[in-house]
Coordinates of all heavy atoms in Angstrom, one line a residue:
M1 N -22.8 -34.6 -8.9 CA -23.1 -34.3 -10.3 C -22.2 -35.2 -11.2 O -21.0 -35.4 -10.8 CB -23.0 -32.9 -10.5 CG -22.1 -32.3 -11.5 SD -21.9 -30.6 -11.7 CE -21.8 -30.0 -10.1
R2 N -22.7 -35.6 -12.3 CA -21.9 -36.3 -13.2 C -21.6 -35.4 -14.4 O -22.6 -34.8 -15.0 CB -22.7 -37.5 -13.7 CG -21.9 -38.4 -14.7 CD -22.8 -39.5 -15.2 NE -23.6 -39.0 -16.2 CZ -24.1 -39.6 -17.3 NH1 -23.8 -40.9 -17.5 NH2 -24.9 -39.1 -18.2
R3 N -20.4 -35.3 -14.7 CA -20.0 -34.5 -15.9 C -19.5 -35.4 -16.9 O -18.8 -36.4 -16.7 CB -18.9 -33.5 -15.5 CG -19.4 -32.4 -14.5 CD -18.3 -31.5 -14.2 NE -18.7 -30.5 -13.2 CZ -17.9 -29.9 -12.4 NH1 -16.5 -30.3 -12.3 NH2 -18.3 -29.1 -11.5
I4 N -19.6 -35.0 -18.2 CA -19.1 -35.8 -19.3 C -18.2 -34.9 -20.2 O -18.6 -33.8 -20.5 CB -20.2 -36.3 -20.2 CG1 -21.2 -37.2 -19.4 CG2 -19.6 -37.1 -21.4 CD1 -22.4 -37.7 -20.2
W5 N -17.0 -35.4 -20.3 CA -16.0 -34.6 -21.1 C -15.6 -35.5 -22.2 O -15.9 -36.7 -22.3 CB -14.8 -34.3 -20.2 CG -15.1 -33.6 -19.0 CD1 -15.2 -34.2 -17.7 CD2 -15.3 -32.2 -18.8 NE1 -15.6 -33.2 -16.7 CE2 -15.6 -31.9 -17.4 CE3 -15.3 -31.1 -19.6 CZ2 -15.8 -30.6 -16.9 CZ3 -15.5 -29.8 -19.1 CH2 -15.9 -29.7 -17.7
F6 N -14.8 -35.0 -23.1 CA -14.3 -35.7 -24.3 C -12.8 -35.4 -24.4 O -12.4 -34.3 -24.3 CB -15.1 -35.3 -25.5 CG -16.5 -35.6 -25.5 CD1 -17.5 -34.7 -25.0 CD2 -16.9 -36.8 -26.0 CE1 -18.8 -35.1 -25.0 CE2 -18.3 -37.2 -25.9 CZ -19.2 -36.4 -25.4
D7 N -12.1 -36.5 -24.6 CA -10.7 -36.4 -24.8 C -10.4 -35.9 -26.2 O -11.1 -35.7 -27.0 CB -9.9 -37.6 -24.3 CG -10.2 -38.9 -25.1 OD1 -10.7 -38.7 -26.2 OD2 -9.8 -40.0 -24.7
E8 N -9.0 -35.9 -26.4 CA -8.6 -35.5 -27.8 C -9.0 -36.4 -28.9 O -9.0 -36.1 -30.1 CB -7.1 -35.2 -27.8 CG -6.3 -36.4 -27.5 CD -6.0 -36.6 -26.0 OE1 -6.4 -35.7 -25.2 OE2 -5.5 -37.7 -25.7
D9 N -9.4 -37.7 -28.5 CA -9.8 -38.7 -29.6 C -11.3 -38.7 -29.6 O -11.9 -39.8 -30.2 CB -9.2 -40.1 -29.2 CG -7.7 -40.1 -29.4 OD1 -7.2 -39.4 -30.3 OD2 -7.0 -40.8 -28.6
A10 N -11.9 -37.8 -29.0 CA -13.5 -37.7 -28.9 C -14.1 -38.9 -28.1 O -15.3 -39.1 -28.3 CB -14.1 -37.6 -30.4
Q11 N -13.3 -39.5 -27.2 CA -13.8 -40.5 -26.4 C -14.4 -39.8 -25.1 O -13.8 -39.0 -24.5 CB -12.7 -41.4 -25.9 CG -12.1 -42.3 -26.9 CD -13.0 -43.5 -27.3 OE1 -14.0 -43.8 -26.6 NE2 -12.7 -44.1 -28.4
P12 N -15.7 -40.1 -24.8 CA -16.3 -39.6 -23.6 C -15.6 -40.1 -22.3 O -15.2 -41.3 -22.3 CB -17.7 -40.0 -23.7 CG -17.7 -41.2 -24.5 CD -16.6 -41.1 -25.5
Y13 N -15.4 -39.3 -21.4 CA -15.1 -39.8 -20.0 C -15.8 -38.9 -19.0 O -16.3 -37.9 -19.3 CB -13.5 -39.7 -19.8 CG -12.9 -38.3 -19.8 CD1 -12.8 -37.5 -18.6 CD2 -12.5 -37.6 -21.0 CE1 -12.2 -36.2 -18.6 CE2 -12.0 -36.4 -20.9 CZ -11.7 -35.8 -19.8 OH -11.2 -34.5 -19.8
Y14 N -16.0 -39.6 -17.8 CA -16.9 -39.2 -16.8 C -16.1 -38.6 -15.6 O -15.1 -39.2 -15.2 CB -17.9 -40.3 -16.4 CG -18.7 -40.8 -17.6 CD1 -18.2 -41.9 -18.3 CD2 -19.8 -40.2 -17.9 CE1 -18.9 -42.4 -19.4 CE2 -20.6 -40.6 -19.0 CZ -20.1 -41.7 -19.7 OH -20.8 -42.2 -20.8
E15 N -16.7 -37.6 -15.0 CA -16.2 -37.0 -13.8 C -17.4 -37.1 -12.8 O -18.4 -36.7 -13.1 CB -15.7 -35.6 -14.1 CG -15.2 -34.9 -12.7 CD -14.8 -33.5 -13.0 OE1 -15.6 -32.8 -13.7 OE2 -13.7 -33.1 -12.8
L16 N -17.1 -37.5 -11.6 CA -18.1 -37.5 -10.5 C -17.8 -36.6 -9.5 O -16.7 -36.6 -8.9 CB -18.2 -39.0 -9.9 CG -19.4 -39.3 -9.1 CD1 -20.7 -39.1 -9.7 CD2 -19.2 -40.7 -8.5
V17 N -18.7 -35.6 -9.1 CA -18.5 -34.6 -8.1 C -19.6 -34.7 -7.1 O -20.8 -34.9 -7.5 CB -18.6 -33.2 -8.9 CG1 -18.4 -32.1 -7.8 CG2 -17.5 -33.1 -9.9
C18 N -19.3 -34.6 -5.9 CA -20.3 -34.8 -4.8 C -21.3 -33.5 -4.9 O -20.8 -32.4 -4.9 CB -19.6 -34.7 -3.4 SG -20.8 -34.8 -2.0
D19 N -22.6 -33.7 -4.8 CA -23.5 -32.6 -4.8 C -23.6 -32.0 -3.5 O -24.1 -30.9 -3.4 CB -24.9 -33.2 -5.1 CG -25.0 -33.8 -6.6 OD1 -24.5 -33.1 -7.5 OD2 -25.6 -34.9 -6.8
G20 N -23.0 -32.5 -2.5 CA -23.0 -31.8 -1.1 C -21.8 -30.9 -1.0 O -22.0 -29.7 -0.7
C21 N -20.6 -31.4 -1.2 CA -19.4 -30.7 -0.9 C -18.4 -30.4 -2.1 O -17.4 -29.8 -1.9 CB -18.7 -31.3 0.2 SG -17.8 -32.9 -0.3
A22 N -18.8 -30.9 -3.3 CA -18.1 -30.6 -4.5 C -16.8 -31.5 -4.5 O -15.8 -31.1 -5.4 CB -17.8 -29.2 -4.8
T23 N -16.6 -32.4 -3.7 CA -15.4 -33.4 -3.7 C -15.5 -34.1 -5.0 O -16.5 -34.7 -5.3 CB -15.4 -34.3 -2.5 OG1 -15.3 -33.5 -1.2 CG2 -14.3 -35.3 -2.6
Q24 N -14.4 -34.3 -5.7 CA -14.3 -35.1 -6.9 C -13.8 -36.5 -6.5 O -12.9 -36.7 -5.8 CB -13.4 -34.4 -7.9 CG -13.9 -33.2 -8.5 CD -12.9 -32.5 -9.5 OE1 -11.7 -32.9 -9.4 NE2 -13.4 -31.7 -10.3
L25 N -14.5 -37.4 -7.2 CA -14.0 -38.8 -7.2 C -12.8 -38.9 -8.1 O -12.9 -38.6 -9.3 CB -15.1 -39.8 -7.6 CG -14.5 -41.2 -7.6 CD1 -14.2 -41.9 -6.2 CD2 -15.5 -42.1 -8.4
V26 N -11.6 -39.3 -7.6 CA -10.4 -39.5 -8.5 C -10.2 -41.0 -8.7 O -10.1 -41.7 -7.8 CB -9.3 -38.8 -7.9 CG1 -8.1 -39.0 -8.8 CG2 -9.6 -37.3 -7.8
C27 N -10.1 -41.3 -9.9 CA -9.6 -42.8 -10.2 C -8.5 -42.7 -11.1 O -8.4 -41.8 -12.0 CB -10.7 -43.5 -10.7 SG -11.4 -43.0 -12.4
W28 N -7.5 -43.6 -11.0 CA -6.3 -43.5 -11.8 C -6.2 -44.6 -12.8 O -5.2 -44.9 -13.4 CB -5.0 -43.6 -10.8 CG -5.0 -42.5 -9.9 CD1 -5.4 -42.6 -8.6 CD2 -4.7 -41.2 -10.1 NE1 -5.3 -41.4 -8.0 CE2 -4.8 -40.5 -8.9 CE3 -4.3 -40.5 -11.3 CZ2 -4.5 -39.1 -8.8 CZ3 -4.0 -39.1 -11.1 CH2 -4.2 -38.5 -10.0
D29 N -7.4 -45.2 -13.2 CA -7.4 -46.2 -14.2 C -8.4 -45.8 -15.3 O -8.8 -44.6 -15.3 CB -7.8 -47.6 -13.6 CG -9.1 -47.6 -12.9 OD1 -9.9 -46.6 -13.1 OD2 -9.4 -48.5 -12.1
D30 N -8.8 -46.7 -16.2 CA -9.6 -46.3 -17.3 C -11.1 -46.4 -17.0 O -12.0 -46.3 -17.8 CB -9.3 -47.3 -18.5 CG -8.1 -47.0 -19.1 OD1 -7.5 -45.9 -19.0 OD2 -7.5 -47.9 -19.8
S31 N -11.5 -46.6 -15.7 CA -12.9 -46.7 -15.3 C -13.6 -45.4 -15.6 O -14.9 -45.4 -15.8 CB -13.1 -47.0 -13.9 OG -12.5 -46.2 -13.0
C32 N -12.9 -44.2 -15.7 CA -13.6 -43.0 -16.1 C -14.2 -42.9 -17.5 O -15.0 -42.1 -17.8 CB -12.6 -41.8 -16.0 SG -11.2 -41.8 -17.1
Y33 N -13.8 -44.0 -18.4 CA -14.3 -44.0 -19.7 C -15.6 -44.9 -19.8 O -16.3 -44.9 -20.8 CB -13.3 -44.6 -20.6 CG -12.1 -43.6 -20.9 CD1 -11.0 -43.8 -20.4 CD2 -12.3 -42.5 -21.8 CE1 -9.9 -42.9 -20.6 CE2 -11.3 -41.7 -22.0 CZ -10.1 -41.8 -21.4 OH -9.0 -41.0 -21.7
D34 N -16.0 -45.4 -18.6 CA -17.3 -46.2 -18.6 C -18.1 -45.8 -17.3 O -17.6 -46.1 -16.2 CB -16.8 -47.7 -18.6 CG -18.1 -48.6 -18.8 OD1 -18.9 -48.6 -17.8 OD2 -18.2 -49.3 -19.7
W35 N -19.3 -45.3 -17.6 CA -20.1 -44.8 -16.4 C -20.3 -45.9 -15.5 O -20.2 -45.7 -14.2 CB -21.4 -44.3 -16.9 CG -22.3 -43.9 -15.7 CD1 -23.5 -44.5 -15.5 CD2 -22.0 -43.2 -14.6 NE1 -24.0 -44.1 -14.4 CE2 -23.1 -43.2 -13.8 CE3 -20.9 -42.3 -14.3 CZ2 -23.3 -42.5 -12.6 CZ3 -21.1 -41.5 -13.0 CH2 -22.3 -41.7 -12.3
N36 N -20.6 -47.2 -15.9 CA -21.0 -48.2 -15.0 C -19.7 -48.7 -14.2 O -19.8 -48.9 -13.0 CB -21.5 -49.4 -15.8 CG -22.9 -49.2 -16.3 OD1 -23.7 -48.5 -15.7 ND2 -23.2 -49.7 -17.4
L37 N -18.5 -48.7 -14.7 CA -17.3 -49.0 -14.0 C -17.0 -47.9 -13.0 O -16.6 -48.1 -11.8 CB -16.1 -49.2 -14.9 CG -16.1 -50.4 -15.8 CD1 -14.9 -50.4 -16.8 CD2 -16.1 -51.7 -15.0
L38 N -17.2 -46.6 -13.5 CA -16.9 -45.5 -12.5 C -17.9 -45.6 -11.3 O -17.5 -45.3 -10.2 CB -17.0 -44.2 -13.2 CG -16.6 -42.9 -12.4 CD1 -15.1 -43.1 -11.9 CD2 -16.7 -41.7 -13.1
R39 N -19.2 -45.8 -11.7 CA -20.1 -45.9 -10.6 C -19.7 -47.1 -9.6 O -19.8 -46.8 -8.4 CB -21.5 -46.2 -11.2 CG -22.6 -46.3 -10.2 CD -23.9 -46.7 -10.9 NE -24.8 -47.0 -9.9 CZ -26.2 -46.8 -10.0 NH1 -26.6 -46.2 -11.1 NH2 -27.0 -47.0 -9.0
G40 N -19.3 -48.2 -10.1 CA -18.9 -49.2 -9.2 C -17.7 -48.9 -8.3 O -17.7 -49.2 -7.1
V41 N -16.8 -48.1 -9.0 CA -15.6 -47.6 -8.1 C -16.0 -46.7 -7.0 O -15.7 -46.7 -5.9 CB -14.6 -47.0 -9.0 CG1 -13.5 -46.1 -8.2 CG2 -13.9 -47.9 -9.9
A42 N -17.0 -45.8 -7.4 CA -17.5 -44.8 -6.4 C -18.2 -45.5 -5.3 O -18.1 -45.2 -4.1 CB -18.5 -43.9 -7.1
E43 N -19.1 -46.4 -5.7 CA -19.9 -47.2 -4.6 C -19.0 -48.0 -3.7 O -19.2 -48.0 -2.5 CB -21.0 -47.9 -5.3 CG -22.1 -47.1 -5.8 CD -23.1 -47.9 -6.6 OE1 -22.9 -49.1 -7.0 OE2 -24.2 -47.4 -6.7
F44 N -18.0 -48.6 -4.2 CA -17.0 -49.3 -3.5 C -16.3 -48.4 -2.5 O -15.9 -48.8 -1.4 CB -16.0 -50.0 -4.4 CG -15.1 -51.0 -3.7 CD1 -15.4 -52.2 -3.0 CD2 -13.8 -50.5 -3.4 CE1 -14.6 -53.0 -2.5 CE2 -12.9 -51.4 -2.7 CZ -13.3 -52.5 -2.2
S45 N -16.0 -47.2 -3.0 CA -15.3 -46.2 -2.1 C -16.3 -45.5 -1.1 O -15.8 -44.6 -0.4 CB -14.7 -45.1 -3.0 OG -13.8 -45.7 -3.9
G46 N -17.5 -45.9 -1.0 CA -18.4 -45.4 -0.1 C -19.4 -44.3 -0.6 O -20.2 -43.6 0.3
W47 N -19.3 -43.9 -1.8 CA -20.2 -42.9 -2.4 C -21.6 -43.5 -2.5 O -21.9 -44.7 -2.6 CB -19.7 -42.6 -3.8 CG -18.6 -41.6 -3.7 CD1 -17.3 -42.0 -3.3 CD2 -18.4 -40.2 -4.3 NE1 -16.5 -40.8 -3.5 CE2 -17.2 -39.8 -4.1 CE3 -19.4 -39.4 -5.0 CZ2 -16.8 -38.6 -4.6 CZ3 -19.0 -38.2 -5.3 CH2 -17.7 -37.8 -5.1
W48 N -22.6 -42.6 -2.4 CA -24.0 -42.9 -2.6 C -24.4 -42.3 -4.0 O -24.2 -41.1 -4.2 CB -24.9 -42.3 -1.5 CG -26.3 -42.7 -1.7 CD1 -26.9 -43.9 -1.2 CD2 -27.4 -42.0 -2.3 NE1 -28.2 -43.9 -1.5 CE2 -28.5 -42.8 -2.1 CE3 -27.4 -40.8 -2.9 CZ2 -29.8 -42.4 -2.7 CZ3 -28.6 -40.4 -3.5 CH2 -29.8 -41.2 -3.3
I49 N -24.8 -43.2 -4.9 CA -25.3 -42.9 -6.2 C -26.8 -43.1 -6.3 O -27.3 -44.2 -6.0 CB -24.6 -43.7 -7.2 CG1 -23.1 -43.7 -7.0 CG2 -25.0 -43.2 -8.6 CD1 -22.4 -42.4 -7.2
D50 N -27.5 -42.1 -6.7 CA -29.0 -42.3 -6.8 C -29.3 -43.4 -7.7 O -28.9 -43.4 -8.9 CB -29.6 -41.0 -7.5 CG -31.1 -41.0 -7.4 OD1 -31.7 -42.0 -7.4 OD2 -31.7 -39.8 -7.5
P51 N -30.0 -44.4 -7.2 CA -30.2 -45.6 -8.1 C -31.2 -45.5 -9.1 O -31.4 -46.3 -10.0 CB -30.7 -46.7 -7.0 CG -31.3 -45.9 -5.9 CD -30.4 -44.6 -5.9
D52 N -32.1 -44.4 -9.0 CA -33.1 -44.2 -9.9 C -32.8 -43.4 -11.2 O -33.5 -43.4 -12.2 CB -34.4 -43.6 -9.3 CG -34.9 -44.5 -8.1 OD1 -34.9 -45.7 -8.3 OD2 -35.3 -44.0 -7.0
Q53 N -31.7 -42.6 -11.1 CA -31.5 -41.7 -12.3 C -30.0 -41.6 -12.4 O -29.2 -41.4 -11.5 CB -31.9 -40.3 -11.9 CG -33.4 -40.2 -11.7 CD -33.7 -38.7 -11.4 OE1 -33.0 -37.8 -11.5 NE2 -35.1 -38.5 -11.1
I54 N -29.6 -41.8 -13.7 CA -28.1 -41.7 -14.1 C -27.6 -40.3 -13.7 O -26.5 -40.1 -13.4 CB -27.9 -42.1 -15.5 CG1 -26.5 -42.4 -15.8 CG2 -28.4 -41.0 -16.4 CD1 -26.1 -43.1 -17.0
D55 N -28.4 -39.3 -13.9 CA -28.0 -37.9 -13.5 C -28.5 -37.4 -12.2 O -28.7 -36.2 -12.0 CB -28.3 -36.9 -14.7 CG -27.4 -37.2 -15.9 OD1 -26.3 -37.6 -15.8 OD2 -28.0 -37.0 -17.0
G56 N -28.9 -38.3 -11.4 CA -29.5 -37.9 -10.1 C -28.4 -37.6 -9.2 O -27.3 -37.1 -9.4
T57 N -28.7 -37.7 -7.8 CA -27.8 -37.2 -6.8 C -26.6 -38.2 -6.6 O -26.7 -39.4 -6.6 CB -28.7 -37.2 -5.5 OG1 -29.8 -36.3 -5.6 CG2 -27.8 -36.7 -4.3
H58 N -25.5 -37.5 -6.3 CA -24.2 -38.2 -6.1 C -23.6 -37.7 -4.8 O -23.4 -36.4 -4.7 CB -23.2 -38.2 -7.2 CG -23.8 -38.4 -8.5 ND1 -24.4 -37.5 -9.4 CD2 -24.0 -39.6 -9.2 CE1 -24.9 -38.1 -10.5 NE2 -24.7 -39.3 -10.4
R59 N -23.3 -38.4 -3.8 CA -22.8 -38.0 -2.5 C -21.5 -38.7 -2.1 O -21.5 -40.0 -2.2 CB -23.8 -38.2 -1.5 CG -25.1 -37.4 -1.7 CD -25.0 -36.0 -1.4 NE -26.3 -35.3 -1.6 CZ -26.5 -34.0 -1.3 NH1 -25.5 -33.3 -0.8 NH2 -27.8 -33.5 -1.5
C60 N -20.5 -38.0 -1.7 CA -19.3 -38.6 -1.2 C -19.6 -39.3 0.1 O -20.6 -39.2 0.6 CB -18.3 -37.6 -1.0 SG -18.4 -36.4 0.4
P61 N -18.6 -40.1 0.6 CA -18.9 -40.8 1.9 C -19.3 -39.9 3.1 O -20.0 -40.2 4.0 CB -17.5 -41.5 2.2 CG -16.9 -41.7 0.9 CD -17.4 -40.5 0.0
H62 N -18.7 -38.6 3.1 CA -19.1 -37.7 4.2 C -20.4 -37.1 4.0 O -21.1 -36.7 5.0 CB -18.0 -36.6 4.2 CG -16.7 -37.0 4.7 ND1 -16.4 -37.4 5.9 CD2 -15.6 -37.1 3.8 CE1 -15.1 -37.9 5.9 NE2 -14.6 -37.7 4.7
C63 N -21.0 -37.0 2.8 CA -22.3 -36.3 2.6 C -23.4 -37.3 2.3 O -24.5 -36.8 2.1 CB -22.1 -35.3 1.5 SG -21.0 -34.0 1.8
R64 N -23.1 -38.5 2.3 CA -24.2 -39.5 1.9 C -25.3 -39.5 2.9 O -25.1 -39.1 4.0 CB -23.5 -40.9 1.8 CG -23.0 -41.5 3.0 CD -22.4 -42.9 2.8 NE -23.4 -43.9 2.7 CZ -23.3 -44.8 1.8 NH1 -22.3 -45.0 1.0 NH2 -24.3 -45.6 1.6
P65 N -26.5 -39.8 2.5 CA -27.6 -39.9 3.4 C -27.3 -40.7 4.7 O -26.8 -41.8 4.6 CB -28.7 -40.5 2.7 CG -28.4 -40.2 1.1 CD -26.9 -40.4 1.1
G66 N -27.4 -40.2 5.8 CA -27.1 -40.8 7.1 C -25.6 -40.8 7.4 O -25.2 -41.3 8.4
G67 N -24.8 -40.1 6.7 CA -23.4 -40.0 6.9 C -22.7 -41.2 6.5 O -23.2 -42.1 5.9
A68 N -21.4 -41.3 6.9 CA -20.6 -42.5 6.5 C -21.1 -43.7 7.1 O -21.6 -43.8 8.2 CB -19.1 -42.2 6.8
E69 N -21.0 -44.9 6.4 CA -21.5 -46.1 7.0 C -20.6 -46.6 8.1 O -19.5 -46.2 8.1 CB -21.4 -47.2 5.9 CG -22.3 -47.0 4.7 CD -22.2 -48.1 3.7 OE1 -21.3 -48.9 3.8 OE2 -22.9 -48.1 2.7
P70 N -21.2 -47.2 9.1 CA -20.3 -47.7 10.3 C -19.2 -48.6 9.7 O -19.6 -49.5 8.8 CB -21.3 -48.4 11.1 CG -22.6 -47.9 10.8 CD -22.6 -47.4 9.3
G71 N -18.0 -48.4 10.1 CA -16.9 -49.2 9.7 C -16.3 -48.8 8.4 O -15.3 -49.4 8.0
L72 N -16.9 -47.8 7.7 CA -16.4 -47.4 6.4 C -15.1 -46.6 6.7 O -15.1 -45.6 7.5 CB -17.4 -46.6 5.6 CG -16.9 -46.1 4.3 CD1 -16.7 -47.2 3.3 CD2 -18.0 -45.1 3.8
V73 N -13.9 -46.9 6.0 CA -12.8 -46.2 6.2 C -12.8 -45.1 5.0 O -12.8 -45.5 3.8 CB -11.5 -47.1 6.1 CG1 -10.3 -46.2 6.1 CG2 -11.5 -48.2 7.2
V74 N -12.8 -43.8 5.4 CA -12.9 -42.8 4.4 C -11.5 -42.3 4.3 O -10.8 -41.7 5.2 CB -13.9 -41.8 4.8 CG1 -13.8 -40.6 3.8 CG2 -15.2 -42.3 5.0
R75 N -10.9 -42.3 3.1 CA -9.6 -41.8 2.8 C -9.7 -40.5 2.0 O -10.6 -40.4 1.2 CB -8.7 -42.8 2.1 CG -8.4 -44.0 2.9 CD -7.6 -45.1 2.1 NE -7.3 -46.1 3.0 CZ -8.1 -47.2 3.2 NH1 -9.1 -47.3 2.6 NH2 -7.6 -48.2 3.9
P76 N -8.8 -39.5 2.2 CA -8.9 -38.4 1.4 C -8.7 -38.7 -0.1 O -7.9 -39.6 -0.5 CB -7.7 -37.4 1.9 CG -7.1 -38.1 3.1 CD -7.7 -39.6 3.1
V77 N -9.4 -37.9 -0.9 CA -9.2 -38.2 -2.3 C -8.1 -37.3 -2.8 O -8.0 -36.2 -2.6 CB -10.6 -37.6 -3.0 CG1 -10.4 -37.7 -4.5 CG2 -11.8 -38.4 -2.5
P78 N -7.1 -38.0 -3.5 CA -6.0 -37.3 -4.0 C -6.3 -36.3 -5.1 O -7.2 -36.6 -5.8 CB -5.0 -38.5 -4.5 CG -6.0 -39.6 -4.8 CD -7.1 -39.5 -3.8
V79 N -5.7 -35.3 -5.1 CA -5.8 -34.3 -6.2 C -4.8 -34.4 -7.2 O -3.6 -34.5 -6.9 CB -5.8 -32.8 -5.5 CG1 -6.0 -31.8 -6.7 CG2 -6.9 -32.7 -4.5
R80 N -5.2 -34.5 -8.4 CA -4.2 -34.7 -9.6 C -3.6 -33.4 -9.8 O -4.1 -32.4 -9.8 CB -5.0 -35.2 -10.8 CG -4.2 -35.6 -11.9 CD -5.1 -36.1 -13.0 NE -5.2 -37.5 -12.9 CZ -5.9 -38.3 -13.8 NH1 -6.5 -37.7 -14.9 NH2 -6.0 -39.5 -13.7
P81 N -2.2 -33.4 -9.9 CA -1.5 -32.2 -10.2 C -1.7 -31.5 -11.4 O -2.2 -32.0 -12.4 CB 0.0 -32.6 -10.0 CG 0.0 -34.1 -10.2 CD -1.3 -34.6 -9.9

């Protein structure tokens, strides 16, 4: 699921949550402020993003259709304190 939040300056930022297990994609740069950049980070990290709909299905590497890609190194997502 894609969530849109707004910071104190009314700038939208995006949060990506797996529709299968509710794992959150965590990024530590400004890509959360641009959906296309965040999507690129997610796909590079092994996430599956529904190509047909911006608010479609989002799956982490463990829950993606067919499971993790062969050779894909899946690292735990750090949790922000």
Side-chain angles (χ1 to χ4, degrees):
M1 125 182 41
R2 182 187 78 149
R3 296 180 182 152
I4 302 173
W5 305 96
F6 294 89
D7 66 12
E8 59 275 351
D9 295 325
Q11 292 283 348
Y13 64 95
Y14 302 92
E15 178 182 54
L16 190 60
V17 179
C18 177
D19 293 315
C21 67
T23 296
Q24 293 179 332
L25 173 72
V26 176
C27 63
W28 300 102
D29 58 16
D30 289 340
S31 59
C32 65
Y33 288 102
D34 183 299
W35 171 244
N36 290 324
L37 288 175
L38 186 63
R39 179 182 173 146
V41 167
E43 289 176 338
F44 183 77
S45 299
W47 283 62
W48 183 84
I49 310 294
D50 187 340
D52 298 325
Q53 299 179 8
I54 195 166
D55 288 328
T57 303
H58 308 93
R59 300 284 182 173
C60 74
H62 295 290
C63 297
R64 63 182 288 135
E69 294 177 0
L72 178 68
V73 177
V74 178
R75 294 181 176 85
V77 177
V79 177
R80 197 176 259 183

